[in-house]
Amino acid sequence: MKKILKSLCAGMALAAAMSLVSAQEVVTIYAPDGRIAQIYESDLEAYKAVGWYDNFEDTVQTVYAPDGRSETHFKAEIPAYLAVGWFENRDDTLAVIFDGKGNSALIYLAELEAYRAAGWFGHPLRVDPARPMVSLTFDDGPSLSATPVILDVLEKYRVRATFFQLGSEVAKYPLVTKRACEMGCEIGTHTYSHPNLAKLSSWDIASQIRTSSAEISLACGSAPGLLRPPYGSYNDTVKAAASMPLILWSVDTLDWKTRDTQKDIYAVLSSTKDGDIVLMHDIYMPTAEAVKTIVPELLKRGFQLVTVSELAAAKGYSMSAATAYSSFR
Ligand code: NI
């Protein structure tokens, strides 16, 4: 009797222990290198914290080759693909080329050299001409306040903008300008000290452009190819003295006047169309705050955010000196 009781007790203890185990849900988890493990659900967060996933789909990523091939691999292998020239975004594999007779084509990067050898010209514009696009432009900077915030947003969403900068400010903050260049943004000149060019002599106009271009060259390693005249003010003397295209705008946010984030957002989102050039200023924090909403919303609406030169090229324009442009459609 005593013996039976003892084994009964042992059995009950075992059953109790088993019910403890079964109360712990077992889940399957996946490492970024393809390993699979089964763990108690209570340990899930700890595994996730060190990079495991509870969805198999999360462990893989698709990468794109310059010739258009795509492959899906475990995330742990992705850096090795990027290191040999593959891309995370399909758009990055594309280039736009032109034959100079009004014809353009969208090709893969891998084909670019062959087309160039055949007399076409083009760049890895990372722009798809078939999709809508817009250029955000920022005047009067660089600044130490708004410009870095705007660059952070552009970097986060992997998009580009054009900055029309003052030589006087580039001289103060050359590293801000350098960062913008290195991110693939375009730097145009907005003169050295923001005068009304229409009131200056040809010599003074040329001097404003020469001195500001020198500062931009020092910061970026290349001279600007576009001028935005302060106040949008120009005449024939300005056009002749500029010796580069003049870039105006088709969407005016009036951010310098309102200094109001919500109004900036509304000004852009209520009217921006394919081919527009949007005017803002990277010296006001309300503008920088607005950019945090404007960029993701334009992307959501299918716009590509490109530089002014990319926009012109993708729309089939070859810009000429002494000509003013306010949009490219
Ligand atoms: Ni200005």
Side-chain angles (χ1 to χ4, degrees):
M1 183 62 190
K2 201 176 175 185
K3 198 176 177 183
I4 293 168
L5 201 68
K6 200 176 172 186
S7 73
L8 191 67
C9 285
M12 281 166 71
L14 186 65
M18 280 177 73
S19 78
L20 252 182
V21 170
S22 66
Q24 284 248 38
E25 195 76 24
V26 171
V27 294
T28 306
I29 54 162
Y30 308 88
D33 59 4
R35 276 173 299 149
I36 297 175
Q38 294 209 303
I39 57 158
Y40 289 125
E41 194 173 21
S42 55
D43 295 330
L44 184 57
E45 288 311 313
Y47 275 87
K48 278 183 165 179
V50 293
W52 288 67
Y53 302 95
D54 51 359
N55 268 320
F56 175 75
E57 288 75 29
D58 293 340
T59 67
V60 296
Q61 185 181 337
T62 302
V63 282
Y64 303 88
D67 60 4
R69 274 176 299 145
S70 68
E71 293 179 9
T72 301
H73 295 280
F74 287 116
K75 280 183 176 165
E77 302 170 296
I78 298 300
Y81 280 86
L82 301 183
V84 295
W86 289 57
F87 299 96
E88 290 183 273
N89 288 333
R90 180 182 169 274
D91 285 358
D92 291 346
T93 66
L94 301 171
V96 177
I97 47 149
F98 306 91
D99 69 351
K101 299 166 200 147
N103 298 311
S104 65
L106 186 64
I107 60 167
Y108 287 113
L109 274 185
E111 304 169 290
L112 188 56
E113 280 316 307
Y115 274 91
R116 279 181 178 156
W120 291 63
F121 58 93
H123 332 269
L125 289 174
R126 299 178 293 173
V127 177
D128 179 350
R131 288 171 45 219
M133 63 191 85
V134 60
S135 282
L136 300 182
T137 68
F138 298 92
D139 288 9
D140 296 358
S143 70
L144 275 189
S145 52
T147 315
V149 175
I150 292 167
L151 290 176
D152 286 347
V153 177
L154 301 177
E155 195 167 62
K156 178 177 173 188
Y157 293 99
R158 300 165 51 91
V159 297
R160 300 169 297 285
T162 300
F163 294 84
F164 291 100
Q165 298 190 330
L166 293 170
S168 61
E169 305 313 289
V170 178
K172 285 183 212 161
Y173 315 120
L175 291 181
V176 180
T177 300
K178 182 169 186 268
R179 182 185 167 202
C181 295
E182 287 173 351
M183 283 171 51
C185 290
E186 181 165 29
I187 311 294
T189 173
H190 195 44
T191 73
Y192 196 89
S193 58
H194 212 271
N196 182 343
L197 293 180
K199 293 182 174 172
L200 296 191
S201 69
S202 184
W203 195 91
D204 284 337
I205 296 164
S207 162
Q208 281 282 335
I209 291 167
R210 193 179 59 249
T211 50
S212 57
S213 296
E215 293 295 345
I216 292 168
S217 292
L218 267 178
C220 280
S222 59
L226 304 175
L227 165 69
R228 172 165 284 157
Y231 317 105
S233 167
Y234 66 95
N235 55 23
D236 286 345
T237 312
V238 175
K239 285 205 278 189
S243 66
M244 58 178 81
L246 277 60
I247 304 299
L248 303 173
W249 54 86
S250 51
V251 175
D252 191 350
T253 59
L254 297 176
D255 61 337
W256 57 274
K257 199 165 161 186
T258 63
R259 314 274 180 100
D260 183 308
T261 298
Q262 289 309 318
K263 284 180 179 160
D264 295 343
I265 293 169
Y266 181 77
V268 177
L269 298 182
S270 64
S271 64
T272 298
K273 300 177 299 297
D274 184 23
D276 270 332
I277 298 174
V278 178
L279 170 63
M280 290 184 275
H281 296 80
D282 55 328
I283 53 173
Y284 305 119
M285 285 311 286
T287 300
E289 287 300 316
V291 169
K292 291 180 183 174
T293 299
I294 290 168
V295 166
E297 183 57 30
L298 287 175
L299 290 173
K300 211 165 92 189
R301 293 183 187 184
F303 285 100
Q304 303 171 88
L305 303 188
V306 301
T307 68
V308 168
S309 288
E310 287 173 334
L311 176 64
K315 294 293 185 184
Y317 288 78
S318 11
M319 288 187 280
S320 318
T323 308
Y325 302 89
S326 52
S327 66
F328 295 97
R329 301 196 202 283

